[in-house]
């Protein structure tokens, strides 16, 4: 990351391009509720220098968050309402989405509800930065027929033939 950052700065693009990285969700020891989030101690030694680099360069640490998995693995603690952003006080960063078929709690309506509420939520900002939208990436643009298990095929906003599954507003 440091070498990439140096090259970007050397090309005169340091104010236009940020260098960042995403960490995997399993690096989090506590993820629910988000305000209690913390990393596993065994990852802290690895992540601290990365986080310091990102902080020093005013770049975000990205976390791929999928409330769908949290809900199906622990529905007693992570309710469907919470996972779909229909309950208050939820924070999200980076890549996220909800499958529309192929598994438990996978419906087009749940996917639309989650993605619509995700967009609405990130456009509001965070408690520390209200009104400043959070940069977020929806997973995915298209369904992918070659994936397994079955629910992995159905994360797209569109079918593989480019047909829209449901409409969503990004405003």
């Amino acid at each position: 990351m440091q070498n990439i950052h140096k090259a970007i700065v050397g090309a005169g693009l340091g104010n236009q391009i940020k260098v960042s990285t995403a960490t995997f969700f399993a690096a989090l020891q506590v993820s629910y509720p988000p305000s209690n989030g913390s990393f596993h101690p065994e990852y802290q030694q690895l992540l601290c220098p990365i986080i310091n680099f990102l902080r020093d360069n005013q770049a975000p640490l990205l976390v791929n968050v999928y409330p769908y998995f949290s809900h199906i693995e622990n529905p007693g603690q992570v309710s469907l309402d919470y996972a779909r952003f229909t309950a208050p006080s939820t924070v999200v960063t980076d890549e996220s989405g909800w499958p529309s078929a192929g598994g438990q709690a996978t419906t087009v309506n749940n996917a639309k509800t989650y993605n619509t509420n995700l967009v609405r939520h990130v456009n509001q900002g965070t408690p520390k930065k209200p009104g400043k939208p959070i940069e977020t990436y929806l997973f995915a643009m298209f369904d992918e027929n070659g994936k397994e298990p079955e629910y992995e095929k159905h994360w797209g906003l569109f079918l593989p033939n480019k047909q829209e599954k449901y409409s969503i507003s990004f405003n």
Side-chain angles (χ1 to χ4, degrees):
M1 288 175 46
Q2 291 171 342
N3 290 340
I4 293 169
H5 178 72
K6 286 178 187 174
I8 290 170
V9 170
L13 299 171
N15 293 329
Q16 298 173 36
I17 300 173
K18 298 283 184 189
V19 176
S20 188
T21 189
T23 186
F24 61 110
F25 192 68
L28 295 174
Q29 181 174 17
V30 176
S31 65
Y32 182 85
S35 59
N36 291 342
S38 65
F39 291 109
H40 281 286
E42 62 265 27
Y43 294 113
Q44 288 180 2
Q45 184 176 359
L46 171 69
L47 290 174
C48 280
I50 294 169
I51 291 169
N52 289 336
F53 169 83
L54 295 172
R55 182 201 60 225
D56 292 346
N57 291 286
Q58 299 177 344
L61 173 66
L62 307 172
V63 179
N64 296 337
V65 177
Y66 292 92
Y68 167 74
F69 292 117
S70 298
H71 170 68
I72 64 167
E73 290 170 8
N74 193 357
Q77 185 178 16
V78 181
S79 72
L80 184 59
D81 284 341
Y82 175 86
R84 293 186 315 155
F85 284 106
T86 55
S89 302
T90 310
V91 176
V92 161
T93 307
D94 193 22
E95 176 183 287
S96 194
W98 193 281
S100 60
Q104 192 178 357
T106 57
T107 66
V108 170
N109 187 56
N110 280 348
K112 179 179 181 175
T113 299
Y114 175 78
N115 285 322
T116 298
N117 288 333
L118 171 65
V119 170
R120 183 180 305 126
H121 181 75
V122 299
N123 281 337
Q124 293 173 358
T126 67
K128 286 191 175 185
K129 296 183 180 180
K132 183 177 189 252
I134 304 166
E135 187 171 338
T136 302
Y137 302 91
L138 290 179
F139 183 82
M141 182 68 76
F142 294 98
D143 281 353
E144 300 178 64
N145 290 337
K147 288 183 141 183
E148 292 294 333
E150 186 65 23
Y151 63 82
E152 287 287 355
K153 297 176 183 180
H154 303 284
W155 291 80
L157 300 173
F158 296 88
L159 299 169
N161 68 2
K162 302 178 187 172
Q163 178 185 349
E164 181 181 72
K165 282 200 258 180
Y166 52 87
S167 63
I168 185 170
S169 172
F170 292 97
N171 296 323

